[in-house]
Amino acid sequence: MAGSKVDIVHVGRGNPAGEWLRCFWQPVYVGQDLQAGWAKRIEIMGEHFTLYRGEGGEPHLVEDRCPHRKTQLSTGSIEGDDLRCFYHGWKFAPDGSCLEQPAERITKNSKVCIRSYPVREYLGLIFAYLGKGEAPEFPLFPELEHDNGYPIRARRTELRHNYLVRVENDLDEAHVHFVHRRSAGLTNEFSVLPEGFDAQETDYGILRLTTRDRGGKKDVRRKYFIMPNVSLTSPPPATELDNWAPHLGWRVPMNDETTYSFIVSRNKPREDFDPKSYPPAQEIIDAILDGRMRIKDVDPYHPRLFHIQDSIATAGQGRIHNDRENEQLGRSDMAVIKLRQIYEREISALQSGKPIKQWKRPKEMMIVGFFPKAAE
Ligand code: FES
Ligand SMILES: [Fe+2]
């Protein structure tokens, strides 16, 4: 069960898991970090791209290098919605067609083109479809469109390990009792070790159900995992300064060794203190992994406390954890086992040219009752 016959770890183009993950829309950048008239070189699943925003505000995604002599296109200039290469001025439209090659005296009908990718901006993130053929239907999340009275916040965090351990962490309820038990939170949500674990494959992915006994009363926590790498939940407040808030997380490989966590949430802004007055989360994670600091020394009010806690566990599994054959899985790993079975099934199907499952989520909201806390 623990072992994996299919490579579900490596994500470069041509790798089985990489090809499967490219069948889905994925977030690639935070919208507000890309201003009109700017281009950025980005890396997603081991490939580089040029992401730019036209002068009118539309985002576009094209390949990394100019086809002429292969310089980095992100150093070029933006003219309207077009991108002109810095080196010899070849100009490309957002659909990849080459509009001008000035020193070649070609100003139209050029045979040259670059790859371009469908892009969409939603919930503060820029998404792209990097796969073959027509892009699938764009996935919407009414849970985060719903206005809970707090502003929507989108952010990207770099995680220094392979994507799969972070995806598995999303399915792992037993860890919360140990990893997140120490916080300034007034909640005691995680103080009880779950007794019942269940994970069901659904039309959208996995419904994870965890039962806790709270003084004789059974309490079932639901968590939704949307294929292939999206976690939808309503985590408890880390501190009394926080609120129960809907929370969407995509774990997108930057490459095999590094992962982007794209988060969209609607949290109560912490107005009464400056998050910059806390040391950067990565410094703390590195110090703990190096033995220069202990977990119990982390300020329980640190605004990235949950991220720090999860990252110590997942980065602690190694930069690329690829030794699943020798793990000792138990009953509490049921959802992780289910995830691996689905990944292996779908990735093998794609590899052998068989149809893959077309995941579909319900149109209605999957978590409700955000005030004062999410429905269980
Ligand atoms: S390298 Fe881009 S125009 Fe020459
Ligand atoms: Fe966690």
Side-chain angles (χ1 to χ4, degrees):
M1 184 61 70
S4 184
K5 285 165 246 65
V6 186
D7 179 2
I8 60 176
V9 169
H10 296 93
V11 295
R13 198 172 279 277
N15 285 284
E19 291 299 314
W20 181 62
L21 291 170
R22 283 172 173 80
C23 296
F24 301 84
W25 284 91
Q26 299 285 353
V28 298
Y29 215 71
V30 174
Q32 69 172 17
D33 294 344
L34 183 66
Q35 287 168 28
W38 279 73
K40 302 275 179 185
R41 186 176 196 236
I42 62 166
E43 184 181 5
I44 299 288
M45 291 190 258
E47 274 186 292
H48 288 92
F49 302 91
T50 309
L51 176 69
Y52 70 97
R53 204 186 273 288
E55 289 171 319
E58 278 294 299
H60 305 290
L61 188 72
V62 295
E63 68 180 87
D64 178 35
R65 295 191 183 281
C66 177
H68 178 218
R69 299 240 307 276
K70 303 289 176 183
T71 199
Q72 188 178 313
L73 276 172
S74 66
T75 58
S77 57
I78 288 150
E79 302 177 4
D81 274 311
D82 304 328
L83 179 63
R84 189 182 290 280
C85 179
F86 172 65
Y87 207 174
H88 312 95
W90 289 18
K91 181 168 137 173
F92 301 93
D95 68 359
S97 56
C98 183
L99 305 172
E100 289 176 23
Q101 296 161 259
E104 306 307 312
R105 298 185 178 157
I106 296 172
T107 52
K108 58 180 177 187
N109 300 330
S110 167
K111 291 195 178 60
V112 174
C113 67
I114 55 175
R115 280 191 301 277
S116 73
Y117 302 86
V119 169
R120 179 146 169 193
E121 200 156 5
Y122 177 61
L123 298 177
L125 295 174
I126 298 172
F127 290 78
Y129 175 67
L130 306 174
K132 297 179 184 137
E134 279 284 294
E137 189 180 337
F138 186 82
L140 298 173
F141 292 92
E143 298 81 5
L144 273 292
E145 290 179 25
H146 172 79
D147 183 358
N148 69 350
Y150 298 127
I152 202 156
R153 198 156 76 96
R155 64 176 188 270
R156 183 187 78 170
T157 305
E158 195 178 302
L159 311 174
R160 302 203 175 151
H161 54 67
N162 181 256
Y163 83 105
L164 190 56
V165 290
R166 190 64 186 82
V167 172
E168 290 174 344
N169 173 271
D170 284 326
L171 272 308
D172 177 351
E173 180 76 8
H175 89 278
V176 298
H177 174 68
F178 297 96
V179 168
H180 302 299
R181 69 200 302 176
R182 192 177 163 274
S183 77
L186 301 178
T187 173
N188 64 357
E189 284 302 309
F190 297 156
S191 62
V192 178
L193 184 65
E195 58 174 33
F197 300 91
D198 190 22
Q200 300 162 6
E201 181 171 346
T202 65
D203 289 346
Y204 56 82
I206 297 173
L207 171 62
R208 200 194 65 187
L209 300 165
T210 316
T211 312
R212 286 179 173 81
D213 187 333
R214 294 191 194 277
K217 196 169 153 279
K218 297 277 186 244
D219 163 11
V220 179
R221 184 167 186 235
R222 298 164 75 87
K223 184 165 177 180
Y224 305 96
F225 181 80
I226 298 166
M227 284 292 163
N229 58 346
V230 190
S231 162
L232 172 60
T233 186
S234 180
T239 77
E240 74 273 23
L241 304 173
D242 303 300
N243 61 313
W244 285 84
H247 183 98
L248 258 177
W250 286 259
R251 320 304 179 186
V252 181
M254 172 182 169
N255 52 44
D256 288 336
E257 295 193 346
T258 308
T259 303
Y260 288 133
S261 187
F262 286 98
I263 302 294
V264 178
S265 60
R266 282 184 180 269
N267 287 102
K268 183 162 74 174
R270 288 193 184 182
E271 283 152 2
D272 44 350
F273 77 107
D274 176 13
K276 290 196 183 70
S277 64
Y278 290 84
Q282 191 61 49
E283 267 177 25
I284 297 174
I285 295 163
D286 290 343
I288 291 171
L289 290 169
D290 280 354
R292 288 179 278 115
M293 190 176 171
R294 295 168 302 176
I295 290 173
K296 66 182 189 181
D297 300 327
V298 180
D299 185 333
Y301 280 93
H302 195 291
R304 304 304 311 279
L305 183 67
F306 280 11
H307 159 60
I308 292 168
Q309 291 168 329
D310 279 322
S311 290
I312 289 162
T314 52
Q317 289 172 286
R319 194 83 197 218
I320 303 187
H321 172 36
N322 198 16
D323 185 25
R324 290 178 170 74
E325 289 79 6
N326 291 310
E327 291 178 346
Q328 302 286 333
L329 300 186
R331 60 189 280 277
S332 68
D333 299 302
M334 174 183 259
V336 171
I337 293 167
K338 178 71 76 187
L339 174 90
R340 293 180 190 174
Q341 287 170 340
I342 295 172
Y343 265 43
E344 289 180 18
R345 183 190 75 207
E346 293 299 305
I347 291 168
S348 312
L350 186 69
Q351 253 187 316
S352 52
K354 296 196 191 112
I356 56 171
K357 181 165 172 175
Q358 297 304 307
W359 304 93
K360 223 191 291 165
R361 58 150 296 154
K363 291 232 179 307
E364 60 273 16
M365 289 209 278
M366 289 161 76
I367 43 178
V368 290
F370 299 136
F371 293 107
K373 64 184 238 120
E376 289 297 308

